[in-house]
Amino acid sequence: METHVLKIGGSVLRGSHHFQSIIDLTKSYNSLLVIVVSAFYGQTNLMLDLISSKQTPEQVQTKLKGVSNELWQIMNSYHPDFALKYWHKIADRFSILESFKDRLSEKATLSQGEYNFILSFGERLSSLLLSYLFKFNNLECEERLPENIGLIGKKQSGNFVVDYKSTRKNLQATTEFKKITIIPGYYGLDHQKEIVTFGRGGTDYSAAAIAYCIKAKTLDIWKDVSGFMTTDPRLVEEATNVEQLSYQEAAELAYFGAEILHQRTVEPAQLGKIPIRIYDIHQPYQSQYKTIISESKPDSYQVIKSISCSDDFSILQLQGAGIGIEVGLLGKICHLLAKGGINVKSVITAQTSINILLSNEDIDRARTICRRIKGNTIAAIRSIQQISLLAAIGEGITTQPGIASRIFGALAKKQINVSAISFGASRVAIYFIVDRKDKAQALESIHHELFHIRSSNGSPSKSFLERHDFEFHA
Ligand code: ASP
Ligand code: MG
């Protein structure tokens, strides 16, 4: 029997609000289901607060009580009998978290593994609670924890990623799936059997990795929003849904700021050629996905699928007359930054300057690190902040003439200055930097230029085709 992997995120797990929809949607599949779940909304932040701020035993006690009260409320508001029947199961597991109470007020004694264990505890609670929700509704279901099925993580450039080879072997050996299997997302075990996490929002990635390891038919991500949009609907009212994306388009959109997917989710799905379908929990029926991500062909009529935007970029600019020709300089800089644990998001170089794009939180430290090599070649180091990075994404963007001119023409019409551009580094992305204050207007004008000619059903209108007479050259 085929297996679908479903991911249910924290935004869907707000109270008991969507419980009925979760039950309806699981019933609508006629296959084995592996459901990978996030913590209830806000609970990971509570865990983070428990382990990262200094607090008295009383404060720890109050916070723990808050978490358990919330879980009780969720169960009771769904159905008082549900709480009566199964609360003791949740309380049992919760007592594991409570056993850390004393150590939480003397933080020094927590090992990294214990820290991650607590951080990922929200997922262990939601998976248990949902497994009983299914049982309460007479659905056959079993909870499996990553530590028991051997979901293995390994370190790669400072972050933890899933070790597919080991995980696949373990899952095949230990896991015989029932009709519904629930697995908490966000964490796994490293080879030393310590708990590791996959970064905030990491349940998407856990679910994709599991889908790959068990060769699932699809990865279905259930959200409380529409799927991918043509741009951020909070900034541009005209934004509409994007029905279909290639793996690379989705990966670049996630990288450049679309918050809908964890950045690495696409990788395992693409490896296994598993389609990712994004559904809206408000319509819990399988046929109506909002976005599908698969190995798709470029769309010759609507090359740009979406424009993403992120404020989490700053530029470290190293200036000097001969910078562009000094052999090994960029390598030296990147090496120093890597040693300091700083991720270089992108680089744009010229003869007289190197522009390194970093996360805002890293810019001051990066500047201090680079001062060490200031000298003959590097005459000045500047940090450029208060910027936004906009990325227009679409298969065919580098092969179809006229796209860049439409984008920058639209910006010029509004007198918006573009301070840096990168085109061609990715087959599907063009990105550029504008002042933060111009962000909304920039998005609006580009979006209008690229999308307003679409008809209401999302396909290009005739006049658009006639006007441009485009032909796609693959
Ligand atoms: N609960 C984790 C977080 O809030 C992981 C997830 O939701 O995907 O980041
Ligand atoms: Mg989340």
Side-chain angles (χ1 to χ4, degrees):
M1 204 179 199
E2 61 189 31
T3 308
H4 292 270
V5 172
L6 273 55
K7 183 259 175 172
I8 298 183
S11 60
V12 172
L13 298 173
R14 283 184 193 230
S16 59
H17 227 60
H18 292 304
F19 280 7
Q20 195 51 51
S21 302
I22 293 173
I23 291 158
D24 291 346
L25 76 89
T26 49
K27 282 184 180 163
S28 73
Y29 285 85
N30 188 19
S31 63
L32 298 180
L33 296 183
V34 174
I35 306 185
V36 185
V37 292
S38 296
F40 276 94
Y41 185 79
Q43 290 214 336
T44 306
N45 287 343
L46 287 171
M47 299 299 159
L48 193 60
D49 181 42
L50 267 174
I51 45 186
S52 46
S53 54
K54 237 189 150 30
Q55 50 214 321
T56 61
E58 293 71 34
Q59 284 170 319
V60 171
Q61 180 63 30
T62 310
K63 284 176 187 170
L64 286 172
K65 193 93 200 104
V67 176
S68 82
N69 279 348
E70 191 187 336
L71 292 169
W72 162 263
Q73 282 299 336
I74 290 171
M75 294 178 84
N76 195 48
S77 66
Y78 173 66
H79 200 300
D81 288 349
F82 178 47
L84 269 179
K85 196 162 175 191
Y86 292 118
W87 171 249
H88 69 284
K89 302 275 187 194
I90 309 301
D92 266 0
R93 182 162 295 175
F94 195 76
S95 67
I96 304 173
L97 182 62
E98 280 178 319
S99 69
F100 282 89
K101 201 167 58 194
D102 298 337
R103 318 253 312 277
L104 281 169
S105 37
E106 318 150 12
K107 236 158 297 19
T109 59
L110 285 184
S111 70
Q112 190 60 43
E114 289 171 325
Y115 180 98
N116 290 334
F117 180 74
I118 296 172
L119 189 57
S120 57
F121 212 83
E123 270 70 12
R124 284 186 198 78
L125 292 167
S126 63
S127 73
L128 188 70
L129 198 152
L130 288 184
S131 72
Y132 285 109
L133 175 72
F134 288 126
K135 285 185 188 147
F136 188 70
N137 284 277
N138 301 317
L139 292 165
E140 189 195 347
C141 164
E142 188 177 27
E143 187 206 31
R144 307 296 301 266
L145 298 177
E147 50 269 57
N148 300 336
I149 55 176
L151 199 151
I152 306 295
K154 61 175 183 186
K155 207 160 198 170
Q156 196 179 77
S157 324
N159 298 310
F160 277 94
V161 296
V162 173
D163 179 336
Y164 301 126
K165 212 166 146 211
S166 312
T167 303
R168 177 173 261 183
K169 214 167 90 204
N170 293 342
L171 286 181
Q172 280 166 0
T174 64
T175 320
E176 198 192 301
F177 292 117
K178 292 262 163 48
K179 171 80 179 101
I180 304 173
T181 302
I182 291 209
I183 303 177
Y186 184 42
Y187 76 94
L189 282 187
D190 68 9
H191 286 283
Q192 285 70 47
K193 298 201 162 42
E194 292 279 14
I195 301 286
V196 298
T197 59
F198 301 121
R200 293 308 303 266
T203 303
D204 288 342
Y205 174 62
S206 298
I210 291 169
Y212 169 62
C213 291
I214 64 170
K215 301 196 170 98
K217 186 90 181 140
T218 62
L219 165 62
D220 292 352
I221 297 185
W222 287 84
K223 299 233 161 226
D224 81 333
V225 289
S226 290
F228 275 88
M229 303 289 282
T230 50
T231 192
D232 186 339
R234 291 167 297 191
L235 297 172
V236 180
E237 227 179 277
E238 270 188 344
T240 54
N241 189 243
V242 180
E243 268 173 37
Q244 176 264 319
L245 289 168
S246 71
Y247 288 117
Q248 199 166 349
E249 287 170 338
E252 296 285 3
L253 282 169
Y255 185 71
F256 285 120
E259 286 160 15
I260 188 161
L261 275 191
H262 179 279
Q263 281 187 11
R264 301 194 78 133
T265 309
V266 173
E267 271 172 43
Q270 184 169 15
L271 272 176
K273 297 191 171 48
I274 297 167
I276 303 174
R277 305 185 294 188
I278 299 175
Y279 289 90
D280 182 351
I281 192 72
H282 300 103
Q283 298 164 352
Y285 303 100
Q286 268 193 71
S287 55
Q288 300 158 326
Y289 60 77
K290 294 291 176 186
T291 303
I292 184 163
I293 302 164
S294 59
E295 274 187 326
S296 52
K297 294 226 162 48
D299 179 342
S300 54
Y301 300 134
Q302 186 63 52
V303 172
I304 303 290
K305 299 287 183 47
S306 178
I307 309 156
S308 68
C309 156
S310 170
D311 291 344
D312 187 23
F313 280 84
S314 293
I315 302 177
L316 183 73
Q317 188 175 68
L318 308 157
Q319 297 169 325
I323 267 185
I325 50 165
E326 178 160 331
V327 177
L329 181 62
L330 185 57
K332 202 190 283 177
I333 296 166
C334 290
H335 177 71
L336 283 176
L337 293 175
K339 256 178 72 186
I342 293 176
N343 178 36
V344 172
K345 290 182 161 194
S346 188
V347 180
I348 305 175
T349 62
Q351 169 67 5
T352 57
S353 78
I354 294 177
N355 297 279
I356 301 175
L357 274 61
L358 305 164
S359 223
N360 294 334
E361 63 175 9
D362 292 331
I363 187 77
D364 290 338
R365 228 154 44 78
R367 195 172 173 174
T368 312
I369 289 174
C370 286
R371 279 207 191 101
R372 278 191 240 148
I373 48 167
K374 198 171 160 206
N376 295 345
T377 327
I378 301 174
I381 302 178
R382 278 206 310 149
S383 46
I384 304 169
Q385 287 165 285
Q386 292 302 313
I387 53 172
S388 296
L389 181 140
L390 273 55
I393 309 288
E395 295 277 355
I397 194 170
T398 48
T399 48
Q400 182 159 129
I403 302 276
S405 102
R406 288 177 68 196
I407 292 174
F408 296 113
L411 293 174
K413 252 192 248 158
K414 298 281 178 194
Q415 306 272 314
I416 294 170
N417 183 45
V418 176
S419 55
I421 302 172
S422 172
F423 191 18
S426 153
R427 187 165 56 83
V428 304
I430 175 168
Y431 68 80
F432 43 94
I433 308 282
V434 298
D435 266 7
R436 180 92 43 93
K437 66 171 172 36
D438 294 331
K439 170 180 75 171
Q441 210 193 6
L443 267 185
E444 174 96 53
S445 54
I446 300 168
H447 189 272
H448 194 70
E449 167 63 30
L450 296 172
F451 293 98
H452 80 286
I453 19 46
R454 288 182 139 207
S455 62
S456 56
N457 67 7
S459 53
S461 66
K462 225 175 171 165
S463 61
F464 170 65
L465 301 182
E466 283 162 1
R467 254 190 330 129
H468 293 272
D469 194 26
F470 278 160
E471 207 183 291
F472 181 75
H473 305 283

